[in-house]
Amino acid sequence: MHVVSDRTYTHTDSQDRNTRALLTYTVCGLAWSRWSKMSSSGWILAVCLVVLEGNKKKCVLYLNDSFWLLQYLPPTAVNTTLRLRDLRASMIPLNISAYIIPATDAHLSEYIAPRDARLAWMSGFTGSAGTAVITQNKAVLWTDSRYWIQAERQMDCNWELLRDASIRSITNWLILEIPEGDQVGFDPFLFSVDIFDIYNTNLAPAGRILKSIPDNLVDKIWTNRPPLPPDNPTHLPDSVIERTWPMKVDQIRAQISDNPYKPTAVLLSALDETAWLFNLRGNDIPFNPFFYSYTLLSMDEIWLFVHTERITEELKVYLNTTCYHSYCVQLLEYSSVRSYLQSYLQRPNMRVWVGTEYTNQALYELITPEDKLLTSTYSPVLTTKAVKDATEQRILKEAHVRDAVAVMQLLMWLEKKVPEGTENELTAAHFVDQCRSKQKNSRGPSFETISASGPNAALAHYSPSNETARKLSVDEMYLVDSGGQYLDGTTDITRTVHWGKPTDFQKEAYTRVLMGNIEISRAIFPAGTRGVNMEMLGRRALWEVGLNYGHGTGHGVGNYFGVHEWPVGFQSNNIPFQEGMFTSIEPGYYKENDFGIRIEDIAVTVPATTKYGNNYLTFETVSLVPYDRKLINTSLLSPEQLHWLNKYYETIQSVVGRELERQGLKEEYDWMMKHTAPFLTAGASAVISSITLLVTVLPSVLLHNLL
């Protein structure tokens, strides 16, 4: 057996030709390559074949009188041979030895439109995080552990998977693969300022040169690239906004004016920046209500770069596009942003403020000399947007109440249906989407639902498909991470349940994850504390027994915006917490090939009352769905944690109970009351006394009978 690049090859020599004749070959690729270790010179024809054996596929590499047999490739693998051939041909006249393809768009978005899925089109890999590098004889993908299995399922035998997501790994590989002095091509629109600096810092000392190529090479060969979505941007109704867009412009201009480095304008590149500033929403990005745009805002002018043909007459009036004073928006073509930025910088004494986290290198590299540039990690729009005003806080809480109804409907339905053996991960995901669609102001899901049972739940960001959907069973743990977009808010919640008899270890792991969630939720801390300094509270109960999880503990969330809204959260590059910020709290635990646990809630920072100090904060949980009682071992909980849990359940009963009654959902109300009954203050499991159960459930049953 020959192991090459994590794929297994079986060598068959010329004596096995009779065996080979029994196989059916279908050509899936054709490429010329030079076998560097051969004693004789010359070029060898390498033919990649698919060997059909029943319903399985293998990839075969035929070299002269021998062939090499790869592992089975699943039917989900994409044939990329012709795409790689065309891209490599386009690299030659540009004199580049390698080309880098990230999994993002020109606005460095987490979620991208189908027309920007260049990495997926080139490689077949559809994960949200990854980077490809293509040379004349190799195609390699880097991604993190969330996507290793997915990548193996989706990529064909042209590709090699490297199980690493670090830029250092990519640059080390490039230094080994291409000679000193050679050029590495990249699209500067797809690199942030910070990411470019890391690549350049690693490659330049080794003599490998980054070459900026603004005309994307993948776009040139992608003949059936999806078109621009047809939907026009719209403005939010007055009922969901407190600050008009001119008021927001004033807020940002005040920060421009107060900045001691005296910028004359701020450049907004992230899609949510322009959408927030003008109270606009769009439909260009799946799950995210954004539209392609840039904004350049100065003290007396506003330039909005959009696809102008999509701006309706109503929007032109809304944006004051026909006047020329400081609150009039000048509409310019989306594609003209580079040329207009250059012309602005040619004016005397101009200085542009950019946030390096979301400004692409294509725009940044134009801002020269350095005295025309002012940088911060995040733009003033992102840091201002992170703190919700009173209206935003109120309506976002209201959206979470209605969302809780939908999630409870899912959990109640699964309790009934799973024992029947008729449902799978995909039908459960579809059901929760249907439940949300019936709620007021619904605008669809906020991301692709993670509906995962048993070993699939051990993959932290698994989403089911027709090929992978696992039947739901009372013998397995089930994790559902889902969210909704509503006109008044964005939601994200994860619950893990078990419909049968969980093991003692599953109960302990679940309880310790819950303890981490509670410890962060009940924490009291000074305003201005960074999330990274509290993050270990979510892990401590797991660490005590040698367990951990490999993802972040929380992220910001928006008002009918992105479900992952930067820069709020618990990572080192998040901004300090202030009153009015919304964040997820989501510790977890994942046992490979067995089960996964995650408990995720959204919480808002609110003032905390302390005995002595002022200006302290705590979290108020706004996700209002009960946890799975049978997975909680209350003997592990401290009295403070148990008290917090009972108070949380009282809030669910009061707040969601009213909404269930308003919607006339009697069965869901009874389910909620049963699952939020108070916990005993002592004992080895989360059981409730028969008296408590009667007091909680019986009145609603009697009332139902009387009616």
Side-chain angles (χ1 to χ4, degrees):
M1 303 292 284
H2 304 265
V3 179
V4 181
S5 304
D6 298 322
R7 279 188 167 88
T8 305
Y9 296 71
T10 304
H11 173 254
T12 305
D13 59 25
S14 57
Q15 294 179 350
D16 296 322
R17 291 174 186 167
N18 292 335
T19 302
R20 282 180 290 167
L22 298 176
L23 302 175
T24 303
Y25 298 144
T26 301
V27 175
C28 74
L30 183 64
W32 288 97
S33 62
R34 187 177 181 87
W35 192 255
S36 59
K37 295 183 179 180
M38 289 186 60
S39 57
S40 58
S41 62
W43 292 89
I44 297 173
L45 179 64
V47 183
C48 177
L49 303 168
V50 171
V51 182
L52 304 178
E53 291 186 345
N55 292 323
K56 298 179 179 179
K57 291 197 293 185
K58 293 181 181 179
C59 187
V60 177
L61 189 65
Y62 183 72
L63 298 174
N64 282 3
D65 236 5
S66 303
F67 74 76
W68 302 66
L69 190 60
L70 278 75
Q71 284 181 323
Y72 287 109
L73 290 175
T76 50
V78 175
N79 180 5
T80 63
T81 301
L82 296 180
R83 299 171 189 181
L84 288 168
R85 181 201 65 186
D86 293 344
L87 185 76
R88 285 164 172 154
S90 71
M91 292 165 58
I92 294 173
L94 295 170
N95 194 29
I96 57 175
S97 299
Y99 189 65
I100 305 173
I101 306 174
T104 190
D105 62 14
H107 305 275
L108 310 171
S109 308
E110 177 185 8
Y111 293 92
I112 59 176
R115 69 191 320 266
D116 291 317
R118 300 174 179 90
L119 176 62
W121 186 79
M122 279 302 306
S123 67
F125 169 66
T126 60
S128 64
T131 303
V133 176
I134 296 169
T135 66
Q136 287 299 326
N137 57 10
K138 290 186 178 181
V140 183
L141 172 77
W142 284 259
T143 190
D144 62 64
S145 59
R146 295 175 296 167
Y147 297 112
W148 291 344
I149 295 175
Q150 179 179 339
E152 289 285 8
R153 290 173 177 173
Q154 293 180 322
M155 295 193 305
D156 69 1
C157 51
N158 290 298
W159 287 84
E160 177 183 352
L161 172 65
L162 290 186
R163 291 169 169 81
D164 197 329
S166 67
I167 296 175
R168 170 64 69 179
S169 173
I170 299 171
T171 55
N172 285 347
W173 185 90
L174 284 165
I175 291 168
L176 290 174
E177 287 294 325
I178 67 173
E180 185 174 356
D182 278 19
Q183 297 186 108
V184 177
F186 74 101
D187 179 351
F189 281 101
L190 305 184
F191 276 59
S192 72
V193 175
D194 293 337
I195 294 297
F196 172 81
D197 283 345
I198 298 172
Y199 272 96
N200 195 48
T201 299
N202 292 345
L203 291 174
R208 277 67 174 180
I209 304 163
L210 284 170
K211 182 175 183 178
S212 176
I213 306 173
D215 295 326
N216 191 278
L217 300 188
V218 176
D219 293 352
K220 290 184 176 182
I221 65 171
W222 193 355
T223 56
N224 60 342
R225 186 185 177 203
L228 188 72
D231 299 332
N232 298 326
T234 59
H235 64 82
L236 293 172
D238 293 341
S239 60
V240 298
I241 61 173
E242 179 173 311
R243 292 167 289 178
T244 64
W245 72 259
M247 293 169 64
K248 291 181 175 180
V249 165
D250 283 342
Q251 281 187 282
I252 304 307
R253 281 177 170 162
Q255 294 181 59
I256 295 174
S257 178
D258 293 342
N259 192 297
Y261 297 99
K262 302 304 179 184
T264 59
V266 61
L267 176 64
L268 307 178
S269 296
L271 296 180
D272 59 343
E273 292 178 309
T274 292
W276 177 86
L277 183 66
F278 296 110
N279 290 328
L280 296 176
R281 299 295 186 269
N283 197 32
D284 289 352
I285 310 298
F287 308 115
N288 292 262
F290 303 143
F291 57 98
Y292 290 108
S293 58
Y294 297 95
T295 297
L296 184 63
L297 173 65
S298 74
M299 295 301 294
D300 50 13
E301 292 184 274
I302 309 169
W303 299 274
L304 173 59
F305 301 87
V306 290
H307 295 92
T308 55
E309 72 277 6
R310 304 167 73 192
I311 303 301
T312 63
E313 290 302 317
E314 180 193 7
L315 269 190
K316 289 178 181 178
V317 173
Y318 171 79
L319 294 170
N320 299 332
T321 62
T322 58
C323 57
Y324 295 96
H325 60 71
S326 60
Y327 296 100
C328 301
V329 177
Q330 301 178 45
L331 298 179
L332 298 171
E333 278 300 325
Y334 175 78
S335 59
S336 69
V337 61
R338 269 173 60 98
S339 60
Y340 195 87
L341 179 61
Q342 282 181 306
S343 67
Y344 177 81
L345 290 166
Q346 289 171 3
R347 301 180 186 182
N349 303 316
M350 296 295 105
R351 172 173 285 182
V352 177
W353 186 358
V354 302
T356 57
E357 191 76 17
Y358 286 100
T359 300
N360 63 53
Q361 180 67 18
L363 300 181
Y364 181 84
E365 65 188 13
L366 300 177
I367 308 175
T368 57
E370 284 192 8
D371 63 359
K372 290 183 176 292
L373 175 68
L374 173 64
T375 64
S376 58
T377 302
Y378 301 107
S379 78
V381 165
L382 284 182
T383 54
T384 303
K385 177 170 64 69
V387 179
K388 313 304 183 192
D389 61 37
T391 297
E392 290 169 333
Q393 291 184 46
R394 174 180 56 80
I395 63 177
L396 188 48
K397 290 179 182 179
E398 291 171 355
H400 277 83
V401 174
R402 300 193 306 276
D403 193 74
V405 172
V407 178
M408 288 182 189
Q409 288 176 318
L410 168 71
L411 297 176
M412 185 183 75
W413 179 76
L414 288 174
E415 279 188 11
K416 296 177 183 177
K417 302 296 289 186
V418 170
E420 298 175 5
T422 57
E423 306 305 326
N424 62 34
E425 295 166 334
L426 202 56
T427 60
H430 291 162
F431 188 84
V432 75
D433 288 345
Q434 293 170 12
C435 293
R436 284 192 170 98
S437 70
K438 298 174 184 177
Q439 292 299 316
K440 177 185 174 183
N441 291 336
S442 174
R443 296 295 186 271
S446 57
F447 58 97
E448 186 176 9
T449 296
I450 299 171
S451 174
S453 182
N456 286 343
L459 305 172
H461 289 79
Y462 163 89
S463 290
S465 65
N466 289 326
E467 293 80 18
T468 65
R470 187 179 183 89
K471 180 178 287 189
L472 303 185
S473 166
V474 296
D475 298 321
E476 293 183 343
M477 296 185 78
Y478 172 70
L479 183 155
V480 56
D481 184 348
S482 66
Q485 290 286 11
Y486 302 89
L487 185 60
D488 47 352
T490 302
T491 68
D492 183 6
I493 183 171
T494 307
R495 290 295 181 263
T496 306
V497 297
H498 198 300
W499 300 289
K501 184 176 176 55
T503 67
D504 289 342
F505 177 65
Q506 288 173 334
K507 290 176 65 175
E508 179 179 1
Y510 181 95
T511 304
R512 290 185 178 277
V513 170
L514 177 60
M515 291 163 68
N517 184 297
I518 293 173
E519 282 302 286
I520 293 179
S521 300
R522 61 183 291 270
I524 296 175
F525 51 93
T529 299
R530 304 184 72 90
V532 68
N533 295 330
M534 295 188 288
E535 201 257 5
M536 62 83 59
L537 295 174
R539 300 179 186 269
R540 183 169 60 186
L542 291 164
W543 285 354
E544 288 173 349
V545 292
L547 304 179
N548 204 354
Y549 53 94
H551 56 72
T553 299
H555 56 80
V557 67
N559 283 76
Y560 188 29
F561 249 13
V563 71
H564 295 159
E565 186 175 78
W566 238 238
V568 176
F570 294 90
Q571 299 188 38
S572 59
N573 59 347
N574 292 144
I575 61 176
F577 279 115
Q578 299 294 337
E579 181 183 350
M581 291 181 171
F582 283 75
T583 183
S584 71
I585 300 172
E586 49 182 303
Y589 171 71
Y590 309 89
K591 184 179 180 183
E592 188 174 2
N593 297 320
D594 194 349
F595 64 87
I597 299 165
R598 186 160 62 253
I599 299 173
E600 176 185 18
D601 294 309
I602 302 300
V604 58
T605 48
V606 296
T609 301
T610 63
K611 185 175 181 180
Y612 299 112
N614 297 315
N615 201 26
Y616 279 73
L617 300 174
T618 189
F619 292 107
E620 176 189 331
T621 302
V622 301
S623 300
L624 299 172
V625 177
Y627 311 118
D628 189 350
R629 305 187 72 89
K630 71 171 57 178
L631 284 168
I632 302 174
N633 181 348
T634 56
S635 68
L636 296 176
L637 300 179
S638 69
E640 293 80 9
Q641 292 166 346
L642 197 57
H643 174 74
W644 183 95
L645 191 54
N646 282 331
K647 294 294 291 183
Y648 174 60
Y649 278 7
E650 288 177 11
T651 301
I652 294 175
Q653 290 178 358
S654 173
V655 176
V656 185
R658 285 195 301 270
E659 181 65 21
L660 291 168
E661 290 179 318
R662 190 191 67 79
Q663 296 188 27
L665 298 174
K666 173 68 173 56
E667 186 178 6
E668 287 84 346
Y669 181 89
D670 291 343
W671 182 93
M672 180 273 297
M673 293 298 291
K674 174 183 176 182
H675 286 267
T676 56
F679 290 94
L680 299 176
T681 56
S685 62
V687 298
I688 56 176
S689 69
S690 58
I691 294 177
T692 303
L693 184 58
L694 283 170
V695 170
T696 303
V697 179
L698 189 56
S700 61
V701 175
L702 290 175
L703 179 60
H704 176 70
N705 291 336
L706 287 173
L707 295 175

